Amino acid sequence: MPIDAIFIRSTGVGLLSAWESAGVGGTAGGGRHGQRGLLTNPAIVRLVVVHLAAVVAEWTAVIGVLVYVFDRSGTRATGLASIGILIAAVIVAPFTGTLVDRRRPQRVRLAGLIVQAVGYGVASIAAYADLPAVVTVLAAMVALAAVTTLRPSGAVLMPAHVRSTYELVSGNLWIWYVESVSVLGGPLLATLLLAVNGSAAVLCGCAVLAAIAIGLTLADMGIDPPPCRSASRSEHPMRDAWRPLRRRPGLMSVLAVVWAQYVMIGALDLVLVVIARTELNLGNTGPGLLSSAFGVGALASVAGASFVARRARLAPALVLAMAAVSAGFLVFGLALSLPVAIIVLPILGLSRSMFDGPSRMLLQRSAGPQALGSMFAIRELCSGSGLIVGSVFALVALEVGDPALVLVALGVAFFVLLVVTVRGLLVADAGADLPVVEMSLLRRLPLFADLGPIPLEALARSASTLQVEEGTVVVQQGDHGDVFYAVVEGSFRVDLSGVHIRTVGRVDCFGEVALLADVPRTATVTASTSGNLLAIDRVSFLLAVTGTDSSRQAAWGAVRAMQLKADLSPGAALRLAGEFAHE
């Protein structure tokens, strides 16, 4: 990608993100106050800052490596290095996504950041030592391949960090903003460091950013959802990563849209340079001018992005964006001129920005916690392969035809894509109503850690949200119990016959003993602070905990522990033991 095109186009995207982050145009579910409210959750703030540091380092490192190779080996070697970096990420992405599903995502995220820091550091040392360019490129390839752990792990951790669906939407908007800001921040940082001390300083700066991200991630190691233990370790990770697509109709259409937007970016990077130089005779500043027009379109999507994020249905935005891209390319190709370019390129930029956020949110709404890692790894695979295909397509097409025909071909391709995917997008949108926040919270409880996606979804759908004020008695000792509670937010005091036993907080639970043993409540639970609870009725709870051996064992362990504290009658204990033993 030409450096001037990267820099100028990213300026428009960065301004868009800065404006949105300031609250212009509203936000999901609450405008600027909603976004500020998200800042009261320090775990989300750290998650977003880590994402920002890692993605800025990603953009910065790519520029630093390509400049280093260009200075030492010329244009052809730079092109090969660019493709090599993309191919490395494409190959690794399915494996890292499966790793997120099979291991604790926070640990995978930390390991990925450590690999990034080491890779950037080695690349920086190699550049300072003036070693062969291949050494620097290989070290950077390792670091950039490790970036593929970032988005899948973040997709799993975001629902685990938030306290409500509203916060999940707001958190996704912040990640959307961060992705855009990084496209500006990375080139700016690279430009500054290149002026200071060349490519070696650029890569050293990336290592520092990765180190900062490591420190922030260490602060949140306590928030680490359990792995999907039902995943078979014997299966091939590539095949395992695609499994969720078979369970959720329409997701292939969403991924096709994701792939297509990166094909468009990969093709435009080259096509705009050729058009500016050979068709419009704009000189050396031409690619920057056309790319900045693309960025203006991203800036115009300020109000649209926040409006779309609040919608219950996201497919209409994707369909409209595809139609606009198809029409824009056709008009641009059939009437190739500077005035048309100034009108059409902002439309293409606006449409492309409306691909990214809605598709990300639609995927998250469509996949349960067990599949989020794999789903977003496939998204990484689509983005990398799309960039490669777009670049190769533009290169080959320009060899056999003029730029106008290339633009027309892209317009026809997007029209075909629209026809092929519109039904799948609508189907995916209609079924994208998974209670991902509730599922993520429940899966972190030992009672439900081993539930499969279907029973976990059923349990989460049966839950209702209960808001309580400080001092509220949620459970009274001796009362009849028919509800299980999981703590979403707040602190709750557990007293046994007037004696304080323990305090429960977020990702803890109470009320299970009375339901399991069919006895009165064994303790009194009072809200020490205001908070939120997930309430699950007896039938739904018992269906879930008696569905797997591990859940039954965890439930029986909880009852035995409480028996020691609450003097649960031997008759009740024997009844419960018999209930589990016959299974």
Side-chain angles (χ1 to χ4, degrees):
M1 183 185 299
I3 299 300
D4 59 346
I6 292 176
F7 183 82
I8 295 181
R9 187 174 72 189
S10 65
T11 303
V13 179
L15 289 174
L16 155 69
S17 190
W19 195 4
E20 284 183 316
S21 297
V24 178
T27 55
R32 282 176 288 185
H33 299 294
Q35 294 288 33
R36 290 171 185 169
L38 196 64
L39 298 178
T40 62
N41 188 335
I44 289 293
V45 174
R46 286 190 290 267
L47 187 72
V48 171
V49 174
V50 167
H51 196 97
L52 175 64
V55 179
V56 167
E58 179 185 17
W59 274 90
T60 305
V62 169
I63 295 174
V65 169
L66 296 183
V67 170
Y68 180 76
V69 175
F70 181 84
D71 289 341
R72 291 180 61 89
S73 305
T75 303
R76 178 173 296 180
T78 304
L80 292 175
S82 176
I83 293 175
I85 289 171
L86 290 172
I87 290 177
V90 168
I91 292 173
V92 170
F95 294 87
T96 56
T98 303
L99 194 63
V100 169
D101 283 340
R102 293 180 174 177
R103 298 287 187 270
R104 291 188 175 271
Q106 197 75 272
R107 298 178 190 178
V108 174
R109 190 180 186 87
L110 179 62
L113 291 169
I114 292 172
V115 173
Q116 291 169 53
V118 172
Y120 294 142
V122 171
S124 174
I125 293 171
Y128 274 121
D130 201 28
L131 296 178
V134 66
V135 178
T136 300
V137 172
L138 288 175
M141 284 175 62
V142 171
L144 292 169
V147 176
T148 58
T149 63
L150 181 73
R151 294 172 182 88
S153 61
V156 177
L157 290 170
M158 179 69 77
H161 282 58
V162 301
R163 297 164 295 198
S164 65
T165 302
Y166 160 70
E167 277 197 356
L168 179 63
V169 174
S170 298
N172 280 327
L173 274 173
W174 276 98
I175 294 297
W176 190 349
Y177 303 155
V178 160
E179 289 281 354
S180 296
V181 167
S182 64
V183 184
L184 170 65
L188 282 177
L189 180 60
T191 302
L192 175 63
L193 295 177
L194 282 169
V196 171
N197 199 14
S199 298
V202 173
L203 294 166
C204 182
C206 295
V208 171
L209 285 173
I212 293 172
I214 290 171
L216 292 172
T217 301
L218 286 171
D220 280 331
M221 291 305 292
I223 306 177
D224 201 3
C228 179
R229 297 172 189 169
S230 61
S232 171
R233 299 178 187 274
S234 63
E235 294 185 51
H236 195 284
M238 181 75 76
R239 185 175 57 209
D240 188 51
W242 289 92
R243 182 188 295 125
L245 298 177
R246 297 195 297 268
R247 293 198 295 258
R248 295 288 171 183
L251 287 188
M252 284 296 295
S253 295
V254 180
L255 291 174
V257 171
V258 172
W259 180 79
Q261 68 164 311
Y262 286 98
V263 171
M264 177 176 71
I265 294 171
L268 277 180
D269 287 333
L270 179 58
V271 171
L272 290 184
V273 173
V274 175
I275 288 175
R277 296 287 183 84
T278 65
E279 301 296 321
L280 303 181
N281 300 315
L282 297 177
N284 292 333
T285 61
L289 174 64
L290 298 184
S291 295
S292 62
F294 189 90
V296 167
L299 184 62
S301 70
V302 168
S306 56
F307 174 80
V308 169
R310 293 197 299 266
R311 301 303 93 192
R313 292 289 174 257
L314 298 171
L318 294 174
V319 172
L320 182 61
M322 274 193 291
V325 168
S326 176
F329 274 129
L330 288 173
V331 171
F332 196 11
L334 295 174
L336 185 55
S337 63
L338 182 58
V340 172
I342 297 302
I343 295 173
V344 169
L345 285 173
I347 295 175
L348 294 178
L350 185 153
S351 300
R352 186 269 157 178
S353 70
M354 299 309 294
F355 277 131
D356 190 57
S359 64
R360 183 191 307 273
M361 297 174 73
L362 190 54
L363 288 175
Q364 192 174 57
R365 292 180 185 180
S366 301
Q370 292 97 329
L372 277 173
S374 296
M375 187 65 66
F376 275 76
I378 295 172
R379 191 183 187 281
E380 291 287 291
L381 178 66
C382 290
S383 63
S385 61
L387 287 171
I388 294 173
V389 170
S391 300
V392 173
F393 167 78
L395 184 62
V396 173
L398 288 171
E399 288 291 330
V400 300
D402 60 47
L405 290 177
V406 176
L407 294 172
V408 171
L410 287 170
V412 172
F414 268 87
F415 178 77
V416 172
L417 179 70
L418 173 61
V419 172
V420 171
T421 61
V422 62
R423 183 177 180 277
L425 290 174
L426 295 174
V427 170
D429 204 11
D433 60 347
L434 284 183
V436 290
V437 176
E438 292 82 357
M439 291 173 71
S440 181
L441 174 68
L442 293 173
R443 194 169 69 93
R444 294 172 63 190
L445 299 175
L447 287 172
F448 312 122
D450 286 327
L451 287 183
I454 294 177
L456 184 65
E457 178 183 344
L459 183 66
R461 289 189 185 281
S462 71
S464 58
T465 302
L466 176 65
Q467 294 183 338
V468 295
E469 300 296 330
E470 180 180 353
T472 301
V473 177
V474 182
V475 167
Q476 180 68 54
Q477 184 175 347
D479 287 353
H480 173 72
D482 56 4
V483 178
F484 166 83
Y485 297 97
V487 181
V488 178
E489 182 182 13
S491 177
F492 296 82
R493 176 187 177 94
V494 181
D495 296 316
L496 176 61
S497 300
V499 178
H500 177 62
I501 299 299
R502 63 185 179 122
T503 298
V504 296
R506 176 169 167 78
V507 197
D508 208 337
C509 59
F510 57 88
E512 69 274 18
V513 174
L515 274 65
L516 290 165
D518 194 21
V519 296
R521 295 293 193 186
T522 57
T524 298
V525 181
T526 307
S528 302
T529 65
S530 59
N532 295 320
L533 298 166
L534 284 184
I536 300 174
D537 65 271
R538 175 193 293 270
V539 173
S540 299
F541 173 79
L542 291 177
L543 284 175
V545 298
T546 58
T548 65
D549 291 338
S550 55
S551 295
R552 287 194 295 273
Q553 292 169 4
W556 181 233
V559 172
R560 284 187 298 180
M562 187 57 69
Q563 181 184 3
L564 298 176
K565 297 178 181 179
D567 193 25
L568 187 65
S569 69
L574 287 174
R575 285 199 309 275
L576 185 62
E579 179 181 341
F580 286 113
H582 88 275
E583 301 283 347

